[in-house]
Amino acid sequence: MSFSDVLGRLWWGEAGSGNTTVIVVTTAIATTAALSLLKRYLWRTHPPIIPSPLHTLLPRLSQTELDKLEYKPDAFPGARDVVTPYGSIRVYEWGPEAGEKVLLIHGISTTVQTLTKIAHELVNVHHCRVMLFDLFGRGFSDGVGDLPHDARLYTTQCLLALASSPLSWTGTSAFRLIGYSLGGGIAVHFAGAFPHLVSSLVLLAPAGLIRPETFGLATRFVFTAGLVPERLLAAITKRRLQQPIAASSSRKPNTPPLPVVDDVVSASLAEVPTSDAAQSKSNEPRLEQIVLKYVHWMLHHHPGFIPAFMSSITHAPLIGQHEAWKKLADRPEGSTVVILARGDEIIDPEDYERDALPLLGGREKVEWALVEGGHDFPMTHDREVMRELRRAWGWDEE
């Protein structure tokens, strides 16, 4: 008996009461259609490449509007767009061609702006050749809509950026690598996969060993299980970015529904300074102010930002990366540098000392330092960061 015969019998009541069967079948079809439409709306799919504002919005802006951007396409020297199978990557490279090469990787919710001061000092004071790039879905890099934003994708992005240089960034001890926050978690995987390339690995408040309770077990389950519709997450993220907070543990009583989602968004945005912290007493905007304003802009004008953010929360190397960290114990003594902030809201220095140091081989293998500030310390306490880098790299002696 064919499916059409069965459907006909159901419709005309040959398999039971006619009216009841019609109601049941009609209700089932209507419910299935409604659920399908609801799923399509709430759990939308994205194209493989989500163009950045550099290709969609900026060509339509006037020069006056471009001048008002907090992050401009020529924000750093040596800008180029690298076309890849995953989308276009915005890369910046400048400094003396013969200088020591340094690759810098930023965090989950910002752009290369967070590493502005460190990059410029490396070039202007220490005559290095630096390279920075916007992670997929941030700044002027396209978003990747059909792949998980995991360590594999970001490690591949690093290789694509390096391969785009007119200079050679390969060979034994080819460059120093600095990773901040999520960038630190990415740097751990890159150095583990290509240890011969990285002469010195610097981890600034690195993700990877964040304890699950920082986000909350329920929070992590909600995200990894895919139970939270992306549209809802986008709405919560936008609300959080309007009034960023320093830590998820300090949520105020007026927190809206779905606090577990609220916690993970708040925690992940710790690298974005609070409105109070970003205020400047002078008329000159501070870097924190610039970053804060651009994150607001990017949230509304980069269609790849929310997909990248949500996928990074689910797939990026934020927690449970103990096996990847163990590989770093094989690095030469002193070639791994970890710099943490005493007031960090996400990366607890005491937790990391207990969890990370044994994996890295102990203090005799690792340069370990604490500086003042919160999770955004590469922006607010860059002088202390550079002081520790000079000490670890032996530049003060030179």
Side-chain angles (χ1 to χ4, degrees), residues 65-380:
E65 292 171 318
L66 289 172
D67 291 339
K68 292 180 180 179
L69 293 177
E70 301 296 340
Y71 175 37
K72 300 177 179 61
D74 59 351
F76 298 93
R80 62 176 178 267
D81 294 308
V82 180
V83 179
T84 79
Y86 305 93
S88 178
I89 304 173
R90 189 64 167 182
V91 179
Y92 304 93
E93 180 183 353
W94 77 100
E97 293 187 2
E100 282 205 59
K101 297 181 177 67
V102 184
L103 175 66
L104 301 96
I105 310 174
H106 68 82
I108 189 172
S109 58
T110 55
T111 70
V112 294
Q113 292 172 291
T114 53
L115 298 168
T116 296
K117 295 179 180 179
I118 295 174
H120 280 302
E121 180 160 344
L122 286 171
V123 173
N124 299 334
V125 178
H126 301 289
H127 313 295
C128 294
R129 179 79 171 185
V130 302
M131 181 187 297
L132 306 90
F133 61 90
D134 288 327
L135 292 175
F136 286 124
R138 287 84 164 180
F140 297 128
S141 288
D142 291 344
V144 178
D146 63 340
L147 295 173
H149 285 240
D150 57 13
R152 295 171 300 176
L153 177 66
Y154 288 130
T155 297
T156 300
Q157 187 178 15
C158 293
L159 291 173
L160 292 169
L162 294 171
S164 71
S165 175
L167 305 180
S168 174
W169 284 69
T170 59
T172 303
S173 298
F175 60 88
R176 301 177 188 266
L177 177 59
I178 299 176
Y180 164 51
S181 194
L182 170 59
I186 296 169
V188 167
H189 279 265
F190 186 94
F194 308 102
H196 66 287
L197 292 178
V198 181
S199 61
S200 178
L201 173 65
V202 179
L203 305 175
L204 306 177
L209 300 181
I210 302 174
R211 294 194 173 184
E213 55 266 27
T214 300
F215 295 137
L217 296 178
T219 298
R220 189 66 184 173
F221 172 76
V222 166
F223 273 84
T224 56
L227 299 178
V228 181
E230 183 183 323
R231 291 183 185 273
L232 179 58
L233 177 62
I236 295 174
T237 304
K238 287 181 180 180
R239 180 194 57 76
R240 262 299 176 217
L241 279 172
Q242 299 309 312
Q243 294 181 335
I245 63 174
S248 60
S249 59
S250 61
R251 286 190 296 112
K252 298 181 179 180
N254 61 352
T255 297
L258 286 179
V260 293
V261 180
D262 209 54
D263 280 350
V264 76
V265 173
S266 300
S268 300
L269 294 174
E271 66 195 52
V272 181
T274 65
S275 298
D276 292 338
Q279 293 301 315
S280 175
K281 295 181 180 179
S282 67
N283 292 327
E284 291 295 324
R286 296 190 338 211
L287 178 59
E288 305 94 287
Q289 287 179 292
I290 295 172
V291 169
L292 177 61
K293 290 179 180 179
Y294 185 74
V295 170
H296 289 179
W297 187 93
M298 181 171 58
L299 183 72
H300 292 90
H301 298 289
H302 195 322
F305 176 66
I306 291 298
F309 181 89
M310 184 175 181
S311 185
S312 294
I313 292 296
T314 306
H315 301 289
L318 300 178
I319 66 174
Q321 302 299 306
H322 297 73
E323 292 302 317
W325 282 65
K326 284 181 182 179
K327 295 181 180 180
L328 302 183
D330 296 329
R331 293 186 56 78
E333 181 179 335
S335 65
T336 300
V337 183
V338 179
I339 303 178
L340 308 176
R342 291 184 174 87
D344 198 318
E345 306 86 2
I346 301 302
I347 308 299
D348 188 306
E350 294 183 358
D351 288 346
Y352 261 57
E353 185 170 358
R354 285 190 293 267
D355 299 342
L357 265 178
L359 298 174
L360 298 176
R363 286 191 178 275
E364 61 273 13
K365 291 289 295 290
V366 182
E367 296 290 336
W368 192 273
L370 291 179
V371 300
E372 298 300 325
H375 194 67
D376 60 354
F377 71 89
M379 291 183 286
T380 61

